[in-house]
């Protein structure tokens, strides 16, 4: 056991559990740490799941034919022609990503900052993460020039980086890397013979649908694996379903075989009833596309309202383009925060907000940032209501900010920021 990799619990899940403990103790909490989408299940999707409840046999390791064909069509409508035979389904995109790292082998390049599990999964796979900073406003994709330097240095030191993980759009920053950055990433990956693992689970949550996130599979199709799922666009995280698109190339087909072998030893086959519902969802009938569009509008409305309160408080924010995440930087307030509250870094910010106001967020250090910068990640996806009736009303409202419960949540967050910055006395 002493040789097992040391990995702590997921920061997002740990924060959610801590907030739930406070809630059960009677505290009024505002859950803005985890990225679960707080929306009800679309009734048509629920019916598909229920109708498939009798499907209790093992299926193909890579997923049912129906699901793989539907996923291939989903990608095809986004400009990525896909062979269903190169699609692999799994019980969530998260285990798929881990299985991919096992199948690829070697060390893993991760952006800084990046989602809490990329580096942890690399360590669990027996590899070492190679952190590479992002450029400003280009979250989710490591700076291509720094990527080249880091991989070259790692190989000179005897390490074996074989892949780079990117997120388009990004968690934690909510940014969408511009096409030029993605093109340069693809060129450097080809030069260095790196596999690109592109986590695109947020691709349907870009607010301006005329400017979608650009997949590196467009520019390096022979070496790019794309993953996605239904957790974010349709808010069914508990159903655990994800799909991966493997490259249509010699190396891609070899990787596909290794991935299926790994999957056969870990999950055998994805859950059959969920696959039936997922095949329907990836087929994108009108009720699915309408729900995703309504969710996107709701996310944008609430994210922009929270962003406004952050910038009014003096925090720095990059452009808000996608997802339910914000990554504010409180560096301009460093002297004031230290003087008023003895707050010196992100960990202090998190502690202040949760202990004095019940607002749960995460520090930048949880996303691989070195030291303890005055940055936090704020997730807005749990502000839509405590039950399905309110969440449905939020989805359908012409202006969700006028709903009293969303208004109260925004006021609670604003009061916490006001207390933090000394703008006025916080509400009791």
């Amino acid at each position: 056991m002493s040789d097992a990799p040391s990995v702590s619990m997921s920061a997002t899940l740990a924060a959610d559990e801590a907030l739930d403990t406070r809630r059960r103790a009677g505290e009024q909490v505002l859950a803005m740490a985890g990225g679960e989408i707080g929306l009800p299940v679309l009734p048509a999707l629920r019916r598909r799941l229920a109708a498939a409840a009798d499907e209790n046999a093992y299926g193909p390791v890579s997923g049912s034919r129906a699901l793989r064909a539907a996923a291939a069509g989903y990608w095809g409508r986004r400009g990525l022609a896909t062979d269903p035979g190169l699609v692999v389904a799994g019980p969530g995109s998260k285990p798929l990503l881990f299985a991919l790292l096992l199948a690829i082998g070697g060390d893993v390049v991760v952006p800084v900052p990046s989602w809490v599990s990329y580096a942890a999964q690399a360590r669990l796979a027996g590899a070492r993460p190679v952190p590479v900073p992002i450029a400003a406003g280009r979250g989710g994709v490591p700076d291509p020039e720094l990527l080249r330097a880091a991989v070259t240095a790692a190989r000179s030191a005897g390490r074996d980086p074989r892949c780079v993980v990117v997120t388009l759009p990004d968690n934690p920053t909510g940014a969408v890397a511009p096409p030029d950055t993605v093109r340069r990433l693809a060129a450097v990956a080809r030069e260095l013979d790196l596999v690109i693992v592109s986590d695109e689970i947020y691709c349907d949550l870009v607010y301006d649908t005329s400017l979608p996130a650009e997949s590196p599979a467009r520019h390096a199709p022979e070496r790019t694996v794309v993953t996605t799922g239904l957790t974010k666009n349709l808010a069914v995280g508990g159903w655990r379903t994800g799909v991966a698109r493997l490259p249509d190339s010699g190396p891609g087909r070899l990787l596909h075989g290794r991935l299926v072998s790994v999957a056969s030893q870990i999950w055998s086959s994805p859950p059959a009833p969920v696959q039936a519902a997922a095949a329907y969802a990836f087929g994108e009938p009108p009720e699915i596309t309408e729900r995703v569009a309504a969710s996107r509008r709701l996310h944008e409305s609430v994210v922009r309202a929270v962003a406004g309160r952050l910038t009014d408080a003096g925090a720095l924010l990059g452009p808000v383009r996608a997802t339910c995440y914000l990554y504010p930087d409180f560096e301009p307030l460093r002297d004031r925060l230290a003087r008023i509250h003895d707050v010196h870094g992100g960990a202090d910010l998190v502690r202040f907000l949760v202990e004095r106001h019940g607002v749960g967020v995460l520090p930048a250090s949880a996303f691989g940032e070195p030291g303890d910068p005055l940055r936090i990640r704020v997730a807005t996806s749990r502000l839509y209501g405590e039950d399905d009736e309110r969440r449905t009303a939020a989805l359908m409202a012409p202006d969700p900010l006028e709903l009293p419960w969303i208004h109260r949540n925004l006021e609670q967050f604003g009061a916490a920021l006001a207390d933090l910055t000394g703008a006025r006395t916080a509400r009791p």
Side-chain angles (χ1 to χ4, degrees), residues 223-251:
R223 65 184 58 252
T224 301
V225 181
V226 180
T227 66
T228 192
L230 305 178
T231 299
K232 305 303 178 181
N233 63 351
L234 287 169
V236 288
W239 289 15
R240 309 311 304 139
T241 184
V243 287
R245 175 190 183 273
L246 279 295
D248 191 358
S249 63

Side-chain angles (χ1 to χ4, degrees), residues 249-267:
S249 63
R253 291 181 180 276
L254 289 173
L255 178 57
H256 173 270
R258 290 196 295 271
L259 176 60
V260 172
S261 295
V262 170
S264 74
Q265 301 292 357
I266 298 177
W267 60 75

Side-chain angles (χ1 to χ4, degrees), residues 10-285:
S10 162
T12 51
L13 299 182
D16 281 346
E17 289 192 5
L19 287 170
D20 191 52
T21 298
R22 288 176 176 267
R23 183 184 291 107
R24 291 197 306 270
E27 295 184 34
Q28 182 180 356
V29 302
L30 205 57
M32 303 179 77
E36 181 172 1
I37 308 296
L39 292 172
V41 178
L42 180 68
L45 196 58
R46 186 171 61 239
R47 289 193 294 270
R48 295 308 191 284
L49 181 69
D54 289 338
E55 296 186 22
N56 62 343
Y58 291 117
V61 173
S62 57
S64 70
R65 288 180 180 272
L67 174 54
R68 289 184 284 116
Y74 171 90
W75 277 306
R77 289 186 292 277
R78 286 154 180 79
L80 298 177
T82 301
D83 178 355
L86 290 172
V87 174
V88 177
S93 62
K94 191 171 182 177
L96 266 175
L97 286 163
F98 180 54
L100 277 163
L101 298 187
L102 288 170
I104 295 168
D107 292 331
V108 182
V109 179
V110 297
V112 178
S114 62
W115 179 51
V116 298
S117 290
Y118 294 145
Q121 286 192 350
R123 288 190 287 269
L124 282 171
R128 286 182 291 176
V130 179
V132 177
I134 64 170
R138 289 161 169 77
V141 175
D143 182 284
E145 297 307 315
L146 296 180
L147 169 65
R148 179 188 287 108
V151 170
T152 301
R155 288 174 175 169
S156 295
R159 296 178 62 181
D160 185 23
R162 298 185 195 174
C163 73
V164 53
V165 181
V166 302
T167 316
L168 292 153
D170 183 39
N171 172 12
T173 67
V176 180
D180 178 65
T181 299
V182 177
R183 284 192 291 271
R184 290 190 294 119
L185 166 83
V188 172
R190 183 176 287 124
E191 172 191 329
L192 299 173
D193 194 22
L194 293 173
V195 175
I196 303 171
V197 178
S198 186
D199 181 353
E200 299 181 14
I201 199 165
Y202 296 97
C203 74
D204 292 336
L205 299 184
V206 179
Y207 307 143
D208 185 350
T209 55
S210 69
L211 295 171
E214 188 154 318
S215 175
R218 289 178 174 271
H219 306 290
E222 81 287 355
R223 65 184 58 252
T224 301
V225 181
V226 180
T227 66
T228 192
L230 305 178
T231 299
K232 305 303 178 181
N233 63 351
L234 287 169
V236 288
W239 289 15
R240 309 311 304 139
T241 184
V243 287
R245 175 190 183 273
L246 279 295
D248 191 358
S249 63
R253 291 181 180 276
L254 289 173
L255 178 57
H256 173 270
R258 290 196 295 271
L259 176 60
V260 172
S261 295
V262 170
S264 74
Q265 301 292 357
I266 298 177
W267 60 75
S268 299
S269 64
V274 176
Q275 289 188 77
Y280 162 77
F282 280 117
E284 298 186 290

Side-chain angles (χ1 to χ4, degrees), residues 258-310:
R258 290 196 295 271
L259 176 60
V260 172
S261 295
V262 170
S264 74
Q265 301 292 357
I266 298 177
W267 60 75
S268 299
S269 64
V274 176
Q275 289 188 77
Y280 162 77
F282 280 117
E284 298 186 290
E287 56 267 35
I288 290 290
T289 57
E290 289 165 9
R291 167 55 70 88
V292 173
S295 302
R296 191 166 49 238
R297 288 191 297 270
L298 175 60
H299 296 324
E300 181 178 13
S301 178
V302 176
V303 161
R304 292 196 185 284
V306 173
R309 282 158 174 78
L310 286 163

